[in-house]
Amino acid sequence: MKIDVIHKKKSDIDKVDFSDIKFGAFHSDHMFEAQFFEGSWKNFKILPFDNITISPACTTLHYGQTIFEGLKAYKNKDDEILIFRMDKNAKRFNISAERMCMPNFPEQYFTKAISELLILDKKWIPNKKNTSLYIRPLMIALDPFIGIKPAENFKFYIFTCPAGNYYSEPVRVKIETEFTRAIKGGVGYSKTAANYAASLYPSVLAQEQNYDQLIWTDGKTHNYIEESGTMNLFFVIENTLLTAPLGDTVLDGVTRDSILALAEDLNIKTEVRNISVDEVINSINNNTLQEAFGAGTAATIAPIKTIGYENKDYDLPKIDSSSLSSKFLDLLDGIKYGSINDNHNWITKL
Ligand SMILES: Cc1ncc(COP(=O)(O)O)c(C=O)c1O
């Protein structure tokens, strides 16, 4: 893959206040673009970040044939770029692509494109505690054709945003028992726009009730915990770490997978199994629930302070430095910022 580079004439970096970065609000100077037509990927380019022109009739706009990813890069104390588990995001991108009838974007293209883009926009990677560069790869379908069939023309983009903290404090979440994010046989495991569009309305209702996020339950019975809006979920009950199994209704989170690997390193008793809403509520009531937290790239680890269920709020024990969520956060941060050995080979250093 040969990437042509068109440099931006004047950087926008001076417009960003790096002491208070709003997540997703600013884009770095350049973006990557590739085109798929006549059955293959071509025309690989890095160019100044800008608006794109598409037909109002294109498949993405009407039928939602589009997928995306989210991963992060960090800087270590020697000012080197560290990218966390880029290969896992590349694989998940192609799992999403298959489900949405989109072409595979080869893993070596995915990782090379990110690496070249980050080297060019290195100064956009913040270096303070809790900051990173959020990387957003996406693919859109471009056939200017009204009719429901998979497109034949696509574009793949990557752009990046400097990122600060996603949540500044432990979150309030509501167990959703009316609306459904994903159902068996659906597209829940794919990082496609439909899942996020469908979640907007119930999320807005929950925000009006002062919750930060929803806890999605299974679409059939609403009795089992699945995941949160942009995070997988973990509970610690009687010293056992619990998380729901993967399947076609839950996104295979990179952070979830990393926590399970770290839990194994630490010999923490872990169960990946169905977790019922009753089990969670009962364990709060009888004080056996020690912690609950969300895990995702944007938020990293988000401790949960309150769970809302059937018009009642349940407060969870306060988190401290001995909490498992604090330990996982310290370990993950240490690996991502290069202060702890990367025993799992999760980091690509540029
Ligand atoms: C629905 C959903 N679940 C879970 C996650 C967490 O996944 P990851 O840890 O790969 O960011 C995300 C974020 O990508 C998400 O959108």
Side-chain angles (χ1 to χ4, degrees):
M1 176 174 70
K2 186 183 163 296
I3 305 176
D4 290 329
V5 182
I6 305 166
H7 290 265
K8 190 174 168 105
K9 291 215 164 63
K10 188 176 175 316
S11 174
D12 279 332
I13 200 155
D14 294 340
K15 295 181 185 160
V16 183
D17 176 3
F18 276 85
S19 65
D20 180 22
I21 313 171
K22 210 168 163 289
F23 194 97
F26 293 97
H27 311 119
S28 318
D29 285 332
H30 297 90
M31 63 184 189
F32 173 87
E33 184 193 273
Q35 260 182 304
F36 184 92
F37 58 93
E38 291 165 0
S40 66
W41 287 105
K42 328 176 172 42
N43 299 341
F44 307 99
K45 265 187 246 170
I46 289 177
L47 65 169
F49 180 90
D50 205 350
N51 294 339
I52 56 172
T53 305
I54 52 174
S55 162
C58 85
T59 328
T60 295
L61 295 180
H62 299 265
Y63 309 119
Q65 200 187 8
T66 173
I67 57 169
F68 65 98
E69 262 307 324
L71 63 158
K72 280 180 173 172
Y74 306 80
K75 266 191 187 157
N76 67 11
K77 61 174 182 8
D78 300 323
D79 205 43
E80 292 167 310
I81 304 170
L82 309 183
I83 314 173
F84 187 68
R85 304 199 71 179
M86 170 161 66
D87 55 329
K88 183 123 173 88
N89 291 89
K91 289 190 178 76
R92 190 172 68 186
F93 191 70
N94 285 324
I95 290 169
S96 299
E98 186 184 13
R99 180 64 179 85
M100 301 309 292
C101 295
M102 300 178 93
N104 182 287
F105 193 75
E107 192 175 321
Q108 69 274 21
Y109 289 6
F110 189 98
T111 52
K112 181 163 190 227
I114 290 177
S115 304
E116 299 280 306
L117 185 63
L118 263 52
I119 288 169
L120 188 62
D121 276 345
K122 180 173 177 181
K123 64 182 179 207
W124 283 86
I125 308 173
N127 57 7
K128 292 207 176 63
K129 199 173 181 302
N130 295 330
T131 64
S132 56
L133 190 77
Y134 185 78
I135 304 165
R136 170 52 60 89
L138 78 151
M139 197 198 306
I140 56 175
L142 287 172
D143 287 14
F145 175 79
I146 295 296
I148 303 180
K149 69 174 184 68
E152 290 168 7
N153 298 280
F154 300 87
K155 273 195 178 174
F156 171 89
Y157 294 96
I158 305 169
F159 63 88
T160 65
C161 315
N165 259 350
Y166 198 72
Y167 294 118
S168 49
E169 53 173 67
V171 293
R172 287 169 47 82
V173 291
K174 178 190 158 188
I175 297 181
E176 179 59 64
T177 52
E178 189 187 343
F179 296 100
T180 300
R181 189 192 91 95
I183 43 147
K184 253 195 127 9
V187 296
Y189 69 95
S190 167
K191 220 164 155 54
T192 188
N195 288 320
Y196 300 86
S199 73
L200 292 175
Y201 181 66
S203 302
V204 167
L205 295 182
Q207 277 154 17
E208 284 169 6
Q209 297 171 319
N210 211 14
Y211 295 104
D212 299 296
Q213 279 271 1
L214 290 172
I215 292 184
W216 295 107
T217 50
D218 71 284
K220 204 166 171 192
T221 66
H222 292 299
N223 286 338
Y224 291 93
I225 304 283
E226 297 217 308
E227 61 176 321
S228 192
T230 54
M231 304 184 289
N232 296 102
L233 290 169
F234 286 86
F235 298 88
V236 184
I237 300 177
E238 295 189 275
N239 295 322
T240 303
L241 181 70
L242 303 174
T243 193
L246 299 176
D248 46 10
T249 57
V250 174
L251 191 81
D252 179 2
V254 176
T255 320
R256 172 188 181 278
D257 185 76
S258 310
I259 288 172
L260 288 175
L262 294 175
E264 200 176 328
D265 293 351
L266 297 172
N267 280 326
I268 292 166
K269 189 173 171 222
T270 304
E271 291 176 11
V272 178
R273 61 158 169 86
N274 291 330
I275 305 161
S276 71
V277 175
D278 282 351
E279 179 178 4
V280 169
I281 299 299
N282 290 341
S283 66
I284 299 174
N285 283 336
N286 63 26
N287 295 319
T288 53
L289 189 144
Q290 294 147 288
E291 291 177 54
F293 55 92
T297 298
T300 313
I301 305 267
I304 294 173
K305 66 174 173 198
T306 304
I307 295 181
Y309 178 57
E310 290 183 338
N311 299 319
K312 191 168 167 203
D313 278 351
Y314 296 82
D315 288 330
L316 272 51
K318 279 210 167 57
I319 298 293
D320 61 31
S321 58
S322 68
S323 306
L324 269 189
S325 57
S326 313
K327 279 190 192 144
F328 287 132
L329 181 62
D330 288 348
L331 278 174
L332 280 173
D333 275 353
I335 296 168
K336 289 169 173 178
Y337 292 96
S339 62
I340 292 181
N341 248 349
D342 172 27
N343 296 331
H344 291 275
N345 274 328
W346 285 338
I347 295 294
T348 305
K349 194 193 282 187
L350 300 181

